[in-house]
Amino acid sequence: MTDPHPDPGSIRPRRRLSTRWLALVAVGSALAVVGIAALLLNIFQRRQEATQPFYRVVMLNDTIDDPAVWGKNFPLQYDGYRRTVDQVRTRYGGSEGEPHSPTDADPRSVVAQSRLQEDPRLMEMWAGYAFATDFREERGHAYMLEDQEFTERQRVTKQPGTCLNCHASTYVPMKRLGNGDLFKGFEAINKQGYFDARRSVKHPVSCIDCHDPNTMQLRITRPGFMEGMRMLKASQGVKGYDVNRDASRQEMRTYVCGQCHVEYYFKGPEKRLEFPWGKGLTADSILAYHDSTGHKDWTHKVSGAPALKAQHPEFELYNQGIHARSGVACADCHMPYQREGAMKISDHHVRSPVLMINRSCQTCHRWSEEELKSRVTTIQDRTFEMRNMAIDAVLHLTREIAAQVKADSVGSRARIAQARDYQRKAQFLADFIEAENSMGFHADQEAARILAKSIDYARRGQMALRGQNPPPVTNPAATSRHQAVGAARTTDR
């Protein structure tokens, strides 16, 4: 039976407990309200930031090439741009810098490491050419102008102003030299000597070289690339191609890099910059184009062959790789997006993806950093091994040609001429991968094919010297696998 008169002392603890719970609920509710309010405020602030991607501190126009001025409106991008002074070496690229005793010709105390000291064979491969005097590791964009200005190659040859197309911010100087006409300014700077043209430029690559100052849209500012793309598209049946009008935004995220990271040559006595893309972008196509025009960069000092020097053909090799076929742009890997508050911007600290695998590679590849880095290393190690074999094969042929020239006889002259042509081809293909700055990663199977073909050309040159008749070279781009195998079997018979 329930007690009708409960003890008052037993009721008080229950009331105190209920009061405490109510207080805790009230405090928790208040904290939740504050948290939700803070979250909503943060969301509002981020949305406001997103609607204002930059603050117009200065008015930009088509005559301002100083990146510091652009940096007032775009401080985050400018901060990344300034960090290209960093000197970090990866396994097969970049430079940590090495001490240098200042001289009148080169007042710097730190320079990039010498590739000629790392591999003296290169001096023999380029014998008689300026690159046999000085060739160094690549450094960040901050050094692109001074490293070109103070190279020893300037002392052994008269380099043209054409070199500045890839080593300086030339858009404003070309417009000025052409009285507002970019192409006339391009022609003018090509004709000048290097140090005369150097007085016209002030900066390494700058914001204005890739961006329209009014809209910030990507654009091409190098006439050589505009002409090269028009020539390439014409070879594919597309007439009147205008890269700034016809390219997509994703294509432009590669093309702005391809303005400079390309194979090129100097045409004629005026040293006009030309891109050899009339037959395509592959190394074979470029070689065929040069053969059709009879162009040579120099006569090899050891063998007497009409030699070609490959330059930095990153754009060409990349276009043969899986990333290009998948629509991945240069900027996706070398300038990956990063979050800064509510904004997503491209990282302007342009560098090797190996140094930022989490943002460059893992966006698409769901593997660990260790696994992805291992894959890169495997590709590059194997390419480096093949590169060494190709250089050795080229040098063996070069020495054999020189020996045959020394023991010259009327009967051997035709064989020597044929062997020199094979050396020209073998050397250019080996140099194509040597000069390209990914050690094969941009298109690993294509790099292996090019190096294998280089070795084969060297073998054919040795056969020619011995009076043997080298079999015809099949073109994999023009024949099916079945036809190529059939042709090889026919030759073997």
mmCIF file of all heavy atoms in Angstrom, residues 94-125:
data_model
loop_
_atom_site.group_PDB
_atom_site.id
_atom_site.type_symbol
_atom_site.label_atom_id
_atom_site.label_comp_id
_atom_site.label_asym_id
_atom_site.label_seq_id
_atom_site.Cartn_x
_atom_site.Cartn_y
_atom_site.Cartn_z
ATOM 1 N N GLY A 94 65.588 19.100 -61.928
ATOM 2 C CA GLY A 94 65.708 20.154 -60.940
ATOM 3 C C GLY A 94 67.147 20.365 -60.512
ATOM 4 O O GLY A 94 68.066 19.673 -60.957
ATOM 5 N N SER A 95 67.347 21.326 -59.655
ATOM 6 C CA SER A 95 68.701 21.660 -59.239
ATOM 7 C C SER A 95 68.692 22.224 -57.831
ATOM 8 O O SER A 95 67.814 23.001 -57.458
ATOM 9 C CB SER A 95 69.316 22.688 -60.195
ATOM 10 O OG SER A 95 70.599 23.079 -59.751
ATOM 11 N N GLU A 96 69.646 21.809 -57.038
ATOM 12 C CA GLU A 96 69.830 22.372 -55.706
ATOM 13 C C GLU A 96 70.807 23.546 -55.737
ATOM 14 O O GLU A 96 71.019 24.203 -54.735
ATOM 15 C CB GLU A 96 70.338 21.291 -54.758
ATOM 16 C CG GLU A 96 69.317 20.178 -54.516
ATOM 17 C CD GLU A 96 69.861 19.061 -53.669
ATOM 18 O OE1 GLU A 96 71.102 18.974 -53.550
ATOM 19 O OE2 GLU A 96 69.067 18.275 -53.122
ATOM 20 N N GLY A 97 71.409 23.787 -56.891
ATOM 21 C CA GLY A 97 72.388 24.864 -57.010
ATOM 22 C C GLY A 97 73.748 24.430 -56.482
ATOM 23 O O GLY A 97 73.861 23.573 -55.610
ATOM 24 N N GLU A 98 74.778 25.006 -57.056
ATOM 25 C CA GLU A 98 76.136 24.710 -56.584
ATOM 26 C C GLU A 98 76.921 26.004 -56.537
ATOM 27 O O GLU A 98 76.644 26.953 -57.279
ATOM 28 C CB GLU A 98 76.817 23.696 -57.493
ATOM 29 C CG GLU A 98 77.030 24.145 -58.922
ATOM 30 C CD GLU A 98 77.684 23.069 -59.779
ATOM 31 O OE1 GLU A 98 77.587 21.878 -59.440
ATOM 32 O OE2 GLU A 98 78.304 23.448 -60.792
ATOM 33 N N PRO A 99 77.907 26.092 -55.632
ATOM 34 C CA PRO A 99 78.684 27.340 -55.482
ATOM 35 C C PRO A 99 79.411 27.687 -56.771
ATOM 36 O O PRO A 99 79.824 26.822 -57.548
ATOM 37 C CB PRO A 99 79.663 27.003 -54.358
ATOM 38 C CG PRO A 99 79.072 25.841 -53.638
ATOM 39 C CD PRO A 99 78.327 25.053 -54.669
ATOM 40 N N HIS A 100 79.556 28.985 -56.993
ATOM 41 C CA HIS A 100 80.230 29.472 -58.196
ATOM 42 C C HIS A 100 81.019 30.719 -57.833
ATOM 43 O O HIS A 100 80.519 31.603 -57.141
ATOM 44 C CB HIS A 100 79.194 29.807 -59.265
ATOM 45 C CG HIS A 100 79.772 30.427 -60.503
ATOM 46 N ND1 HIS A 100 79.775 31.789 -60.731
ATOM 47 C CD2 HIS A 100 80.371 29.872 -61.581
ATOM 48 C CE1 HIS A 100 80.345 32.043 -61.905
ATOM 49 N NE2 HIS A 100 80.709 30.883 -62.432
ATOM 50 N N SER A 101 82.257 30.768 -58.280
ATOM 51 C CA SER A 101 83.086 31.949 -58.031
ATOM 52 C C SER A 101 82.721 33.039 -59.031
ATOM 53 O O SER A 101 82.846 32.833 -60.249
ATOM 54 C CB SER A 101 84.575 31.598 -58.175
ATOM 55 O OG SER A 101 84.949 30.624 -57.226
ATOM 56 N N PRO A 102 82.231 34.166 -58.562
ATOM 57 C CA PRO A 102 81.802 35.235 -59.485
ATOM 58 C C PRO A 102 82.927 35.700 -60.397
ATOM 59 O O PRO A 102 84.093 35.772 -59.997
ATOM 60 C CB PRO A 102 81.362 36.354 -58.536
ATOM 61 C CG PRO A 102 81.026 35.663 -57.257
ATOM 62 C CD PRO A 102 82.001 34.517 -57.158
ATOM 63 N N THR A 103 82.579 35.988 -61.627
ATOM 64 C CA THR A 103 83.515 36.531 -62.608
ATOM 65 C C THR A 103 82.851 37.719 -63.286
ATOM 66 O O THR A 103 81.666 37.989 -63.086
ATOM 67 C CB THR A 103 83.882 35.476 -63.664
ATOM 68 O OG1 THR A 103 82.692 35.131 -64.410
ATOM 69 C CG2 THR A 103 84.450 34.219 -63.029
ATOM 70 N N ASP A 104 83.613 38.419 -64.129
ATOM 71 C CA ASP A 104 83.024 39.530 -64.867
ATOM 72 C C ASP A 104 81.933 39.033 -65.811
ATOM 73 O O ASP A 104 80.914 39.706 -66.012
ATOM 74 C CB ASP A 104 84.110 40.261 -65.673
ATOM 75 C CG ASP A 104 85.084 41.003 -64.773
ATOM 76 O OD1 ASP A 104 84.710 41.297 -63.620
ATOM 77 O OD2 ASP A 104 86.209 41.279 -65.224
ATOM 78 N N ALA A 105 82.152 37.844 -66.372
ATOM 79 C CA ALA A 105 81.176 37.298 -67.305
ATOM 80 C C ALA A 105 79.957 36.725 -66.590
ATOM 81 O O ALA A 105 78.847 36.766 -67.112
ATOM 82 C CB ALA A 105 81.828 36.205 -68.166
ATOM 83 N N ASP A 106 80.158 36.206 -65.394
ATOM 84 C CA ASP A 106 79.059 35.600 -64.626
ATOM 85 C C ASP A 106 79.214 35.978 -63.159
ATOM 86 O O ASP A 106 79.970 35.354 -62.418
ATOM 87 C CB ASP A 106 79.073 34.082 -64.790
ATOM 88 C CG ASP A 106 77.846 33.419 -64.159
ATOM 89 O OD1 ASP A 106 77.095 34.115 -63.448
ATOM 90 O OD2 ASP A 106 77.645 32.206 -64.381
ATOM 91 N N PRO A 107 78.516 37.014 -62.694
ATOM 92 C CA PRO A 107 78.687 37.516 -61.332
ATOM 93 C C PRO A 107 77.969 36.707 -60.260
ATOM 94 O O PRO A 107 78.017 37.056 -59.082
ATOM 95 C CB PRO A 107 78.091 38.928 -61.421
ATOM 96 C CG PRO A 107 77.025 38.802 -62.463
ATOM 97 C CD PRO A 107 77.562 37.830 -63.472
ATOM 98 N N ARG A 108 77.333 35.605 -60.619
ATOM 99 C CA ARG A 108 76.541 34.840 -59.660
ATOM 100 C C ARG A 108 77.417 34.006 -58.728
ATOM 101 O O ARG A 108 78.501 33.556 -59.109
ATOM 102 C CB ARG A 108 75.555 33.929 -60.396
ATOM 103 C CG ARG A 108 74.545 34.680 -61.252
ATOM 104 C CD ARG A 108 73.687 33.727 -62.059
ATOM 105 N NE ARG A 108 74.477 32.943 -63.003
ATOM 106 C CZ ARG A 108 74.011 31.931 -63.712
ATOM 107 N NH1 ARG A 108 72.742 31.587 -63.582
ATOM 108 N NH2 ARG A 108 74.791 31.280 -64.545
ATOM 109 N N SER A 109 76.924 33.775 -57.520
ATOM 110 C CA SER A 109 77.638 32.940 -56.550
ATOM 111 C C SER A 109 77.046 31.536 -56.478
ATOM 112 O O SER A 109 77.643 30.645 -55.881
ATOM 113 C CB SER A 109 77.601 33.581 -55.162
ATOM 114 O OG SER A 109 76.266 33.783 -54.737
ATOM 115 N N VAL A 110 75.863 31.336 -57.074
ATOM 116 C CA VAL A 110 75.225 30.018 -57.112
ATOM 117 C C VAL A 110 74.710 29.782 -58.532
ATOM 118 O O VAL A 110 74.078 30.660 -59.125
ATOM 119 C CB VAL A 110 74.047 29.922 -56.116
ATOM 120 C CG1 VAL A 110 73.343 28.584 -56.257
ATOM 121 C CG2 VAL A 110 74.529 30.120 -54.692
ATOM 122 N N VAL A 111 74.993 28.609 -59.079
ATOM 123 C CA VAL A 111 74.518 28.255 -60.415
ATOM 124 C C VAL A 111 73.924 26.854 -60.368
ATOM 125 O O VAL A 111 74.064 26.130 -59.371
ATOM 126 C CB VAL A 111 75.655 28.307 -61.458
ATOM 127 C CG1 VAL A 111 76.210 29.718 -61.583
ATOM 128 C CG2 VAL A 111 76.774 27.325 -61.091
ATOM 129 N N ALA A 112 73.269 26.459 -61.443
ATOM 130 C CA ALA A 112 72.724 25.106 -61.544
ATOM 131 C C ALA A 112 73.848 24.112 -61.814
ATOM 132 O O ALA A 112 74.899 24.459 -62.354
ATOM 133 C CB ALA A 112 71.685 25.044 -62.656
ATOM 134 N N GLN A 113 73.603 22.859 -61.442
ATOM 135 C CA GLN A 113 74.618 21.835 -61.660
ATOM 136 C C GLN A 113 74.832 21.567 -63.145
ATOM 137 O O GLN A 113 73.896 21.640 -63.941
ATOM 138 C CB GLN A 113 74.196 20.521 -60.965
ATOM 139 C CG GLN A 113 74.259 20.600 -59.461
ATOM 140 C CD GLN A 113 72.889 20.386 -58.829
ATOM 141 O OE1 GLN A 113 71.883 20.790 -59.393
ATOM 142 N NE2 GLN A 113 72.859 19.778 -57.667
ATOM 143 N N SER A 114 76.068 21.243 -63.488
ATOM 144 C CA SER A 114 76.427 20.991 -64.875
ATOM 145 C C SER A 114 76.046 19.576 -65.276
ATOM 146 O O SER A 114 76.451 18.598 -64.634
ATOM 147 C CB SER A 114 77.932 21.187 -65.077
ATOM 148 O OG SER A 114 78.333 20.734 -66.354
ATOM 149 N N ARG A 115 75.269 19.461 -66.343
ATOM 150 C CA ARG A 115 74.944 18.137 -66.861
ATOM 151 C C ARG A 115 76.145 17.528 -67.588
ATOM 152 O O ARG A 115 76.242 16.308 -67.718
ATOM 153 C CB ARG A 115 73.755 18.257 -67.829
ATOM 154 C CG ARG A 115 72.459 18.717 -67.191
ATOM 155 C CD ARG A 115 71.677 17.573 -66.606
ATOM 156 N NE ARG A 115 71.110 16.722 -67.624
ATOM 157 C CZ ARG A 115 69.942 16.955 -68.236
ATOM 158 N NH1 ARG A 115 69.239 18.025 -67.920
ATOM 159 N NH2 ARG A 115 69.482 16.113 -69.134
ATOM 160 N N LEU A 116 77.045 18.380 -68.074
ATOM 161 C CA LEU A 116 78.233 17.872 -68.773
ATOM 162 C C LEU A 116 79.184 17.194 -67.800
ATOM 163 O O LEU A 116 79.861 16.222 -68.157
ATOM 164 C CB LEU A 116 78.945 19.015 -69.494
ATOM 165 C CG LEU A 116 78.123 19.754 -70.553
ATOM 166 C CD1 LEU A 116 78.961 20.847 -71.202
ATOM 167 C CD2 LEU A 116 77.584 18.794 -71.608
ATOM 168 N N GLN A 117 79.251 17.708 -66.570
ATOM 169 C CA GLN A 117 80.079 17.051 -65.562
ATOM 170 C C GLN A 117 79.443 15.743 -65.108
ATOM 171 O O GLN A 117 80.139 14.773 -64.816
ATOM 172 C CB GLN A 117 80.290 17.985 -64.371
ATOM 173 C CG GLN A 117 81.152 19.197 -64.680
ATOM 174 C CD GLN A 117 81.328 20.115 -63.492
ATOM 175 O OE1 GLN A 117 80.883 19.818 -62.376
ATOM 176 N NE2 GLN A 117 81.954 21.260 -63.717
ATOM 177 N N GLU A 118 78.117 15.713 -65.049
ATOM 178 C CA GLU A 118 77.418 14.491 -64.666
ATOM 179 C C GLU A 118 77.594 13.403 -65.723
ATOM 180 O O GLU A 118 77.698 12.216 -65.395
ATOM 181 C CB GLU A 118 75.927 14.772 -64.473
ATOM 182 C CG GLU A 118 75.616 15.684 -63.292
ATOM 183 C CD GLU A 118 74.144 16.073 -63.260
ATOM 184 O OE1 GLU A 118 73.392 15.662 -64.181
ATOM 185 O OE2 GLU A 118 73.732 16.782 -62.325
ATOM 186 N N ASP A 119 77.610 13.799 -66.986
ATOM 187 C CA ASP A 119 77.740 12.828 -68.075
ATOM 188 C C ASP A 119 78.601 13.425 -69.185
ATOM 189 O O ASP A 119 78.099 14.061 -70.122
ATOM 190 C CB ASP A 119 76.357 12.466 -68.626
ATOM 191 C CG ASP A 119 76.416 11.278 -69.585
ATOM 192 O OD1 ASP A 119 77.525 10.923 -70.032
ATOM 193 O OD2 ASP A 119 75.348 10.704 -69.880
ATOM 194 N N PRO A 120 79.923 13.243 -69.115
ATOM 195 C CA PRO A 120 80.838 13.828 -70.118
ATOM 196 C C PRO A 120 80.593 13.335 -71.545
ATOM 197 O O PRO A 120 81.063 13.949 -72.498
ATOM 198 C CB PRO A 120 82.221 13.398 -69.611
ATOM 199 C CG PRO A 120 82.032 13.133 -68.143
ATOM 200 C CD PRO A 120 80.645 12.572 -68.027
ATOM 201 N N ARG A 121 79.861 12.229 -71.715
ATOM 202 C CA ARG A 121 79.587 11.738 -73.065
ATOM 203 C C ARG A 121 78.836 12.772 -73.892
ATOM 204 O O ARG A 121 78.928 12.783 -75.126
ATOM 205 C CB ARG A 121 78.754 10.451 -72.997
ATOM 206 C CG ARG A 121 79.476 9.258 -72.404
ATOM 207 C CD ARG A 121 78.530 8.065 -72.324
ATOM 208 N NE ARG A 121 77.336 8.375 -71.537
ATOM 209 C CZ ARG A 121 76.256 7.589 -71.459
ATOM 210 N NH1 ARG A 121 76.214 6.454 -72.143
ATOM 211 N NH2 ARG A 121 75.221 7.933 -70.716
ATOM 212 N N LEU A 122 78.070 13.635 -73.203
ATOM 213 C CA LEU A 122 77.290 14.637 -73.927
ATOM 214 C C LEU A 122 78.184 15.598 -74.692
ATOM 215 O O LEU A 122 77.808 16.100 -75.755
ATOM 216 C CB LEU A 122 76.396 15.405 -72.953
ATOM 217 C CG LEU A 122 75.336 14.567 -72.224
ATOM 218 C CD1 LEU A 122 74.594 15.425 -71.203
ATOM 219 C CD2 LEU A 122 74.362 13.944 -73.215
ATOM 220 N N MET A 123 79.379 15.876 -74.156
ATOM 221 C CA MET A 123 80.307 16.770 -74.857
ATOM 222 C C MET A 123 80.738 16.167 -76.189
ATOM 223 O O MET A 123 80.898 16.872 -77.187
ATOM 224 C CB MET A 123 81.521 17.066 -73.981
ATOM 225 C CG MET A 123 81.213 17.945 -72.781
ATOM 226 S SD MET A 123 82.687 18.417 -71.847
ATOM 227 C CE MET A 123 82.986 16.900 -70.936
ATOM 228 N N GLU A 124 80.900 14.849 -76.217
ATOM 229 C CA GLU A 124 81.270 14.181 -77.460
ATOM 230 C C GLU A 124 80.077 14.099 -78.405
ATOM 231 O O GLU A 124 80.218 14.268 -79.620
ATOM 232 C CB GLU A 124 81.800 12.773 -77.159
ATOM 233 C CG GLU A 124 82.314 12.042 -78.386
ATOM 234 C CD GLU A 124 82.893 10.674 -78.062
ATOM 235 O OE1 GLU A 124 82.947 10.308 -76.868
ATOM 236 O OE2 GLU A 124 83.265 9.961 -79.017
ATOM 237 N N MET A 125 78.891 13.892 -77.876
ATOM 238 C CA MET A 125 77.708 13.790 -78.729
ATOM 239 C C MET A 125 77.420 15.120 -79.415
ATOM 240 O O MET A 125 76.929 15.154 -80.542
ATOM 241 C CB MET A 125 76.503 13.334 -77.906
ATOM 242 C CG MET A 125 75.287 13.009 -78.760
ATOM 243 S SD MET A 125 73.992 12.059 -77.934
ATOM 244 C CE MET A 125 73.138 13.351 -77.028
#
